[in-house]
Amino acid sequence: MRHLPSLNALRAFEAAGRHLNLGRAAGELNVTHGAVSKQVKLLEEQLAVQLATRTKDGVKLTAHGQTLLPKITRVLDDI
């Protein structure tokens, strides 16, 4: 059986990655900053890899996050 990551977690990571800011991602998704943070953390746990680091100014994508972001963006755009 295929195990797919949460769609909400993918959407939260994609928005956070595009904006490099959890607050702006939250505004786009009409959820709280904390909700976006939880979803990104959930995705990292599901994939067993760190995708981003949180900084005082926003979010910085790791190498894994930089690789994954354009793929998720493309898939979400296709959907």
Side-chain angles (χ1 to χ4, degrees):
M1 177 183 258
R2 185 186 324 183
H3 177 73
L4 298 175
S6 159
L7 180 57
N8 284 336
L10 290 170
R11 289 179 60 222
F13 168 71
E14 195 273 338
R18 265 189 299 106
H19 292 290
L20 296 177
N21 184 286
L22 297 176
R24 281 186 242 146
E28 177 181 320
L29 299 171
N30 295 313
V31 298
T32 65
H33 175 280
V36 173
S37 181
K38 276 186 172 181
Q39 290 298 315
V40 171
K41 184 172 176 57
L42 174 65
L43 182 61
E44 290 175 329
E45 290 171 359
Q46 290 174 340
L47 299 177
V49 65
Q50 187 174 5
L51 300 171
T53 56
R54 283 75 170 168
T55 68
K56 65 178 180 144
D57 298 325
V59 173
K60 181 177 179 185
L61 296 179
T62 65
H64 290 291
Q66 290 174 4
T67 299
L68 188 59
L69 179 62
K71 294 174 184 178
I72 293 174
T73 300
R74 212 171 15 257
V75 167
L76 291 175
D77 286 346
D78 287 348
I79 291 172

